[in-house]
């Protein structure tokens, strides 16, 4: 997202099983029948851009993409157009700021949903998971909180994603989807002052100190951290040796950033940079003539030695 009166980055919606309500959700957000809604799978064959202006004046570009099936199924499909549709959907993901993953509340999370969430995380996209067809779920078995926990557990690559349960065909909680998308986009662009970041860092290290390397007395030290970029938020930790910080401690530090600063709906990138190794200093070359030695090499000795040698010659 960008400030008001400027075109926002696209919001892409991708899902392996068509008929989950991607087009219905887009129509509900835009308030118009922009995309064809049909119970038959494969209705959406190309990425369709839809411009939307919010009451606040913000402008969004929504992209209704074709469904993304497994590569093996696409390769075996006699329809050559499907491979082109999938390729265009993947391009839409790469140019988006926020990816909206729509899953079917009745069918549940599929293996392809897991792979798509992994793709979104690898691309560094903010993510909102929309559980559609919530009206068909038995309320005695599922609550919104329980479903959100289930989504974050199964889609561990985007466990930080915002989760919204909705029924697009009836227009229920559609405004919650839009609010989650706007918030995720803002978190994706967010920058944190260095002073705030290092205050959280100091408290985190006091609570759990960096580990000591096994078999030695070397202990990890964090000097300071700074934010290097946004979209997604990226942080550089300057340490004595990055090898002294195992993966579990790095995950701990990411949790501390999320618990104390936030970033819901956005991935984080943490980079650990150790001190550069110093090269051994070269010894300065001797200014004495080659082969010279004894007192003749010291200041004053040469003149005295020469005098003695000369008088000895005279003798």
């Amino acid at each position: 997202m960008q400030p008001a009166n400027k075109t926002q980055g696209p919001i892409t919606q991708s899902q392996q099983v068509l008929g989950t309500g991607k087009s219905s959700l887009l129509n509900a957000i835009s308030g118009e029948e922009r995309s064809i809604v049909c119970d038959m799978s494969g209705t959406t064959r190309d990425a369709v851009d839809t411009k939307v202006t919010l009451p606040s004046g913000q402008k969004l570009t929504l992209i209704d993409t074709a469904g993304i099936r497994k590569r093996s199924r696409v390769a075996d499909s006699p329809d050559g157009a499907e491979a082109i549709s999938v390729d265009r959907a993947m391009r839409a993901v790469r140019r988006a700021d926020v990816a909206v993953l729509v899953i079917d509340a009745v069918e549940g999370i599929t293996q392809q949903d897991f792979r798509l969430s992994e793709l979104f995380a690898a691309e560094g996209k903010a993510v909102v998971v929309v559980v559609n067809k919530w009206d068909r779920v038995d309320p005695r078995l599922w609550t919104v909180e329980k479903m959100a926990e289930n989504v974050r557990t199964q889609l561990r690559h985007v466990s930080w994603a915002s989760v919204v349960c909705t029924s697009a065909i009836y227009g229920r909680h559609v405004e919650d989807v839009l609010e989650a998308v706007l918030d995720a986009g803002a978190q994706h662009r967010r920058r944190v002052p260095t002073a705030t970041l290092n205050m959280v860092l100091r408290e985190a290290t006091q609570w759990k100190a960096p580990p000591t390397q096994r078999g030695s007395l070397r202990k990890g030290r964090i000097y300071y951290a700074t934010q290097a970029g946004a979209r997604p938020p990226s942080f550089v930790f300057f340490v004595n040796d990055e090898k002294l910080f195992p993966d579990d401690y790095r995950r701990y530090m990411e949790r501390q950033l999320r618990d104390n600063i936030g970033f819901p709906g956005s991935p984080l990138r943490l980079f650990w940079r150790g001190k550069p190794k110093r090269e051994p200093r070269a010894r300065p070359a001797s200014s004495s003539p080659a082969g010279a030695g004894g007192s003749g090499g010291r200041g004053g000795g040469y003149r005295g030695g020469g005098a003695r040698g000369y008088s000895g010659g005279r003798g």
Side-chain angles (χ1 to χ4, degrees):
M1 318 279 174
Q2 298 175 354
N5 301 325
K6 292 185 179 181
T7 303
Q8 304 291 334
I11 303 170
T12 181
Q13 302 166 324
S14 302
Q15 164 64 346
Q16 152 254 4
V17 180
L18 297 179
T20 54
K22 296 186 297 84
S23 299
S24 298
L25 180 61
L26 184 142
N27 291 338
I29 293 176
S30 63
E32 300 179 20
E33 295 295 324
R34 299 290 186 92
S35 297
I36 300 175
V37 178
C38 181
D39 292 334
M40 181 179 63
S41 298
T43 303
T44 305
R45 302 307 299 268
D46 198 1
V48 180
D49 288 20
T50 300
K51 306 290 185 179
V52 176
T53 302
L54 304 180
S56 62
Q58 286 184 306
K59 296 182 179 181
L60 305 178
T61 299
L62 310 180
I63 308 176
D64 187 15
T65 68
I68 302 177
R69 298 198 303 167
K70 294 182 179 180
R71 291 182 179 180
S72 58
R73 294 184 179 180
V74 174
D76 296 340
S77 174
D79 186 1
E82 183 176 4
I84 300 176
S85 298
V86 171
D87 179 67
R88 291 178 177 175
M90 299 300 290
R91 292 183 182 181
V93 170
R94 294 187 178 96
R95 64 187 175 96
D97 290 325
V98 183
V100 179
L101 178 61
V102 185
I103 65 176
D104 191 315
V106 178
E107 182 181 7
I109 298 172
T110 66
Q111 184 179 9
Q112 188 66 355
D113 293 328
F114 178 84
R115 293 179 177 176
L116 287 175
S117 68
E118 186 178 15
L119 169 66
F120 296 156
E123 292 288 338
K125 304 301 179 181
V127 177
V128 174
V129 179
V130 175
V131 183
N132 194 28
K133 302 183 182 179
W134 188 244
D135 56 294
R136 301 185 185 181
V137 173
D138 189 346
R140 296 171 298 178
L141 300 178
W142 291 99
T143 63
V144 173
E145 293 76 14
K146 186 176 180 180
M147 176 60 73
E149 181 180 359
N150 178 61
V151 168
R152 294 190 176 103
T153 300
Q154 294 196 50
L155 304 180
R156 62 177 183 270
H157 295 290
V158 292
S159 58
W160 36 262
S162 302
V163 181
V164 181
C165 298
T166 184
S167 178
I169 194 172
Y170 294 111
R172 298 174 184 172
H173 303 291
V174 173
E175 66 280 0
D176 295 338
V177 175
L178 189 57
E179 182 179 352
V181 166
L182 293 174
D183 185 58
Q187 296 296 325
H188 200 232
R189 304 187 311 272
R190 183 180 176 187
R191 287 187 174 273
V192 179
T194 301
T196 302
L197 179 62
N198 284 277
M199 181 180 64
V200 173
L201 179 62
R202 285 192 299 269
E203 294 180 355
T205 52
Q206 289 175 359
W207 182 259
K208 183 178 180 180
T212 302
Q213 189 179 42
R214 292 183 179 180
S216 73
L217 299 178
R218 296 194 65 197
K219 186 175 182 178
R221 288 189 58 188
I222 303 177
Y223 301 118
Y224 70 98
T226 186
Q227 185 170 358
R231 301 176 62 184
S234 303
F235 304 93
V236 179
F237 287 72
F238 292 90
V239 300
N240 57 340
D241 188 349
E242 67 273 16
K243 297 179 181 179
L244 298 177
F245 295 87
D247 291 340
D248 59 343
Y249 194 84
R250 299 186 183 199
R251 288 191 295 267
Y252 162 76
M253 195 57 66
E254 180 177 347
R255 289 195 303 269
Q256 291 299 308
L257 292 181
R258 292 192 180 278
D259 292 344
N260 293 280
I261 301 179
F263 301 105
S266 175
L268 299 181
R269 296 286 187 267
L270 272 61
F271 302 96
W272 299 74
R273 184 175 300 175
K275 294 176 62 176
K277 296 182 179 180
R278 296 181 180 178
E279 296 183 359
R281 298 178 60 183
R283 298 181 62 182
S286 175
S287 59
S288 302
S295 60
R298 293 197 297 265
Y302 173 76
R303 185 167 51 187
R308 288 194 297 269
Y310 179 75
S311 61
R314 287 288 299 270

